[in-house]
Short mmCIF file of all heavy atoms in Angstrom, two decimals:
data_model
loop_
_atom_site.label_atom_id
_atom_site.label_comp_id
_atom_site.label_asym_id
_atom_site.label_seq_id
_atom_site.Cartn_x
_atom_site.Cartn_y
_atom_site.Cartn_z
N ILE I 30 90.52 152.30 137.68
CA ILE I 30 91.58 152.83 138.52
C ILE I 30 92.31 153.93 137.77
O ILE I 30 92.70 153.75 136.62
CB ILE I 30 92.59 151.71 138.90
CG1 ILE I 30 91.89 150.70 139.80
CG2 ILE I 30 93.82 152.30 139.57
CD1 ILE I 30 92.79 149.59 140.27
N TRP I 37 102.28 154.90 139.29
CA TRP I 37 102.51 153.60 138.66
C TRP I 37 103.99 153.24 138.70
O TRP I 37 104.38 152.12 138.98
CB TRP I 37 102.04 153.60 137.20
CG TRP I 37 100.56 153.51 137.02
CD1 TRP I 37 99.77 154.38 136.35
CD2 TRP I 37 99.69 152.47 137.50
NE1 TRP I 37 98.46 153.95 136.38
CE2 TRP I 37 98.38 152.79 137.07
CE3 TRP I 37 99.88 151.30 138.25
CZ2 TRP I 37 97.29 151.98 137.37
CZ3 TRP I 37 98.80 150.49 138.54
CH2 TRP I 37 97.52 150.84 138.11
N LEU I 49 103.20 147.63 130.90
CA LEU I 49 101.83 148.01 131.25
C LEU I 49 101.51 149.47 130.92
O LEU I 49 100.40 149.78 130.49
CB LEU I 49 101.60 147.77 132.75
CG LEU I 49 101.44 146.29 133.13
CD1 LEU I 49 101.83 146.06 134.58
CD2 LEU I 49 100.01 145.84 132.89
N CYS I 73 95.97 140.81 136.69
CA CYS I 73 96.72 141.98 136.21
C CYS I 73 97.82 142.29 137.22
O CYS I 73 97.55 142.42 138.42
CB CYS I 73 95.76 143.15 136.06
SG CYS I 73 96.58 144.69 135.60
N ALA I 74 99.06 142.43 136.74
CA ALA I 74 100.18 142.72 137.64
C ALA I 74 100.07 144.11 138.25
O ALA I 74 100.66 144.40 139.28
CB ALA I 74 101.50 142.59 136.89
N ALA I 75 99.28 144.98 137.61
CA ALA I 75 99.16 146.35 138.10
C ALA I 75 98.04 146.51 139.12
O ALA I 75 98.20 147.19 140.13
CB ALA I 75 98.93 147.31 136.94
N CYS I 76 96.89 145.87 138.88
CA CYS I 76 95.74 146.15 139.75
C CYS I 76 95.12 144.90 140.37
O CYS I 76 94.23 145.01 141.21
CB CYS I 76 94.67 146.92 138.98
SG CYS I 76 93.77 145.92 137.78
N GLY I 77 95.53 143.70 139.95
CA GLY I 77 95.00 142.48 140.57
C GLY I 77 93.72 141.94 139.96
O GLY I 77 93.20 140.92 140.39
N GLU I 78 93.19 142.61 138.94
CA GLU I 78 91.97 142.14 138.27
C GLU I 78 92.20 140.75 137.66
O GLU I 78 93.24 140.50 137.06
CB GLU I 78 91.60 143.14 137.15
CG GLU I 78 90.50 142.69 136.24
CD GLU I 78 89.13 143.23 136.68
OE1 GLU I 78 88.99 143.62 137.85
OE2 GLU I 78 88.23 143.25 135.83
N LEU I 80 92.18 138.23 134.93
CA LEU I 80 92.17 138.43 133.48
C LEU I 80 92.01 137.13 132.70
O LEU I 80 91.25 137.06 131.75
CB LEU I 80 93.47 139.11 133.04
CG LEU I 80 93.73 140.50 133.64
CD1 LEU I 80 95.12 140.97 133.23
CD2 LEU I 80 92.67 141.50 133.19
N CYS I 122 93.86 145.88 130.24
CA CYS I 122 93.07 145.57 131.42
C CYS I 122 91.94 146.59 131.53
O CYS I 122 92.20 147.79 131.51
CB CYS I 122 93.96 145.63 132.66
SG CYS I 122 93.05 145.53 134.21
N SER I 123 90.70 146.12 131.63
CA SER I 123 89.57 147.06 131.66
C SER I 123 89.51 147.81 132.97
O SER I 123 88.86 148.84 133.08
CB SER I 123 88.25 146.31 131.43
OG SER I 123 87.99 145.47 132.52
N ASN I 124 90.21 147.31 133.97
CA ASN I 124 90.15 147.94 135.30
C ASN I 124 91.13 149.10 135.45
O ASN I 124 90.80 150.11 136.04
CB ASN I 124 90.41 146.87 136.36
CG ASN I 124 90.08 147.34 137.75
OD1 ASN I 124 89.11 148.08 137.95
ND2 ASN I 124 90.87 146.94 138.72
N CYS I 125 92.36 148.94 134.93
CA CYS I 125 93.36 149.99 135.12
C CYS I 125 93.91 150.53 133.81
O CYS I 125 94.70 151.46 133.81
CB CYS I 125 94.51 149.47 135.99
SG CYS I 125 95.58 148.28 135.16
N GLY I 126 93.50 149.96 132.68
CA GLY I 126 93.97 150.45 131.39
C GLY I 126 95.36 149.97 131.02
O GLY I 126 95.92 150.39 130.01
N GLY I 127 95.95 149.10 131.83
CA GLY I 127 97.30 148.62 131.57
C GLY I 127 97.38 147.80 130.29
O GLY I 127 96.50 147.00 129.99
N LEU I 129 98.41 144.82 128.03
CA LEU I 129 98.68 143.41 128.32
C LEU I 129 99.37 142.72 127.16
O LEU I 129 100.28 141.92 127.35
CB LEU I 129 97.36 142.68 128.62
CG LEU I 129 96.50 143.27 129.75
CD1 LEU I 129 95.16 142.54 129.81
CD2 LEU I 129 97.23 143.16 131.08
ZN1 LIG A 21 94.78 146.11 135.66
#
Side-chain angles (χ1 to χ4, degrees):
I30 293 182
W37 284 124
L49 286 155
C73 175
C76 73
E78 171 95 340
L80 299 174
C122 170
S123 67
N124 192 37
C125 72
L129 304 173

